[in-house]
Amino acid sequence: DTGVSQNPRHKITKRGQNVTFRCDPISEHNRLYWYRQTLGQGPEFLTYFQNEAQLEKSRLLSDRFSAERPKGSFSTLEIQRTEQGDSAMYLCASRPFTGQGANYGYTFGSGTRLTVV
Amino acid sequence: ELKVEQNPLFLSMQEGKNYTIYCNYSTTSDRLYWYRQDPGKSLESLFVLLSNGAVKQEGRLMASLDTKARLSTLHITAAVHDLSATYFCAVDTYNAGNMLTFGGGTRLMVKP
């Protein structure tokens, strides 16, 4: 297993366009998280899944943001009608929820850097 | 709402010196984490602290946790240039859905 994989690494889009990012977690990790990080700030929680169930989505920044994890494996984060303020690094993390591994933290992917022009 | 504050926000130090980064959090926590982030890169896990009094060391970095004071420290011993990075602490709580709440980060620059 090569860890948490995110694609694309970089995305430049024009304002008003829709974008979708993909996250492939570590295969045995049943929890998957999305975070946003703007320049000079700590990551900000957006949403998370346990298997295919989205357990928390109230922190998604607006109704333009949505996330799915249809089969409990990979996840997608979509931003509709992008705005310049959406420019940020979008990070995905996964972790096991139960068992001893649950005490050993979150594994983060390399992130997708979004630039809205 | 859980809040996590780090200080200092920026730290410039000479090689060979010692220093401590502080992380305060506002409510009871289940776990405290320290991460390192290099510019343009993702987060690298350094330590996971699970209980009051926990102390972990790796190389020149040592992290400790005082749950009664809601305080964690990251101590740097005899700093070297390779430690230059941004360091984040983060807290998760079962009652808050086991999501990480991050501090604002401490940008460390170690000068030769």
Side-chain angles (χ1 to χ4, degrees), chain A residues 12-30:
Chain A
I12 301 174
T13 191
K14 291 184 178 179
R15 189 174 50 189
Q17 297 294 305
N18 299 343
V19 293
T20 300
F21 311 139
R22 176 174 170 134
C23 172
D24 288 88
I26 293 173
S27 56
E28 60 267 28
H29 286 186
N30 49 9

Side-chain angles (χ1 to χ4, degrees), chain A residues 31 33 35 37 41-43 45 48 56 89 91 95 97 102-103 105-106 108-110, chain B residues 31 33 35 37 40-43 45 48 50 88 92 94 97-100 102-104:
Chain A
R31 283 214 169 168
Y33 300 78
Y35 286 82
Q37 186 178 24
Q41 302 295 318
F45 170 79
Y48 83 101
E56 174 59 61
M89 174 81 88
L91 294 165
R95 66 185 287 252
F97 177 56
N103 285 330
Y106 303 67
F108 281 83
S110 298
Chain B
R31 286 173 286 262
Y33 304 79
Y35 289 91
Q37 187 175 41
K41 304 295 185 182
S42 190
L43 297 162
S45 179
V48 182
L50 302 178
F88 291 97
D92 77 356
Y94 179 77
N98 281 133
M99 64 193 76
L100 283 175
F102 283 83

Side-chain angles (χ1 to χ4, degrees), chain B residues 66-86:
Chain B
D66 181 345
T67 58
K68 294 180 181 178
R70 297 177 184 164
L71 170 69
S72 180
T73 60
L74 181 67
H75 187 72
I76 304 156
T77 302
V80 293
H81 180 68
D82 286 351
L83 289 179
S84 298
T86 299

Side-chain angles (χ1 to χ4, degrees), chain A residues 36-102:
Chain A
R36 183 180 83 155
Q37 186 178 24
T38 53
L39 199 62
Q41 302 295 318
E44 173 187 22
F45 170 79
L46 296 178
T47 188
Y48 83 101
F49 295 84
Q50 181 167 312
N51 300 315
E52 66 275 11
Q54 190 173 12
L55 298 186
E56 174 59 61
K57 58 181 180 180
S58 65
R59 305 280 189 94
L60 287 168
L61 299 166
S62 77
D63 58 7
R64 297 185 296 106
F65 288 71
S66 63
E68 294 183 341
R69 193 182 184 196
K71 297 182 179 179
S73 57
F74 73 92
S75 176
T76 57
L77 177 69
E78 181 182 17
I79 309 173
Q80 296 182 329
R81 305 181 303 281
T82 53
E83 301 172 357
Q84 286 188 320
D86 298 332
S87 296
M89 174 81 88
Y90 291 84
L91 294 165
C92 175
S94 71
R95 66 185 287 252
F97 177 56
T98 58
Q100 188 172 0

Side-chain angles (χ1 to χ4, degrees), chain B:
Chain B
E1 181 184 344
L2 175 59
K3 293 190 183 300
V4 182
E5 293 184 350
Q6 286 182 239
N7 68 84
L9 297 181
F10 180 76
L11 177 58
S12 178
M13 56 193 298
Q14 296 292 126
E15 280 193 329
K17 298 293 186 182
N18 303 334
Y19 210 85
T20 300
I21 299 170
Y22 297 88
C23 174
N24 290 91
Y25 53 96
S26 60
T27 63
T28 302
S29 162
D30 294 311
R31 286 173 286 262
L32 189 133
Y33 304 79
W34 284 97
Y35 289 91
R36 168 181 172 147
Q37 187 175 41
D38 292 295
K41 304 295 185 182
S42 190
L43 297 162
E44 174 191 352
S45 179
L46 296 175
F47 301 108
V48 182
L49 302 171
L50 302 178
S51 60
N52 188 44
V55 177
K56 291 194 175 180
Q57 183 165 3
E58 181 73 33
R60 300 174 188 276
L61 300 178
M62 183 174 71
S64 65
L65 178 62
D66 181 345
T67 58
K68 294 180 181 178
R70 297 177 184 164
L71 170 69
S72 180
T73 60
L74 181 67
H75 187 72
I76 304 156
T77 302
V80 293
H81 180 68
D82 286 351
L83 289 179
S84 298
T86 299
Y87 293 84
F88 291 97
C89 65
V91 170
D92 77 356
T93 62
Y94 179 77
N95 290 339
N98 281 133
M99 64 193 76
L100 283 175
T101 300
F102 283 83
T106 297
R107 185 180 171 197
L108 172 66
M109 289 186 61
V110 181
K111 299 178 179 180

